[in-house]
Amino acid sequence: MLGCLGWTDLDTRRARHLKVMVYKCIAKKAPVYLCNIFHKINDCSTYQTRGSKQGNLVTPKPRAESGKRTFRYRGSVSWNKLNITCKSPVPLTTKLFKGAMKNLT
């Protein structure tokens, strides 16, 4: 039924919204307290790894299972799973990034 209406299921919408929020944090289009949560690997390490070249974020190590439900952990994991074209260093507008997310799913 959702397909014939052109709607997406809730899991897909939540995942897309999470990625858009992480994009806004990285692009400094979100409040400062959210922008300070995420750090790129390049900012924390001088080593050149595949993750640093792809624009990946530092993933925190959760101490408990509840740590995996935090915005910081889920956001960095979902951002690191994106393909490199969505994480391009070219500054995109939020509207273009949302369009790229719709094309992926």
Side-chain angles (χ1 to χ4, degrees):
M1 173 136 179
L2 294 176
C4 64
L5 292 174
W7 295 354
T8 57
D9 59 314
L10 287 177
D11 290 335
T12 306
R13 288 188 68 195
R14 287 183 189 124
R16 188 181 302 148
H17 180 72
L18 178 68
K19 290 172 187 167
V20 169
M21 281 302 298
V22 172
Y23 169 77
K24 286 181 180 179
C25 292
I26 292 171
K28 307 292 184 204
K29 296 180 181 180
V32 177
Y33 72 94
L34 288 176
C35 294
N36 292 336
I37 291 176
F38 298 105
H39 303 286
K40 291 195 174 193
I41 292 177
N42 291 342
D43 299 339
C44 298
S45 176
T46 58
Y47 292 112
Q48 292 295 320
T49 62
R50 283 178 292 204
S52 65
K53 292 178 185 176
Q54 293 176 356
N56 286 351
L57 299 175
V58 175
T59 305
K61 304 285 187 253
R63 295 183 185 175
E65 206 54 39
S66 61
K68 291 184 179 180
R69 292 190 302 259
T70 61
F71 175 62
R72 182 178 182 192
Y73 180 81
R74 289 185 308 123
S76 60
V77 168
S78 67
W79 181 262
N80 292 345
K81 287 182 182 178
L82 281 176
N83 59 10
I84 196 163
T85 57
C86 292
K87 297 187 281 187
S88 66
V90 178
L92 297 172
T93 62
T94 307
K95 190 173 184 177
L96 288 174
F97 184 77
K98 286 180 181 180
M101 289 293 98
K102 284 185 181 179
N103 292 337
L104 285 179
T105 56

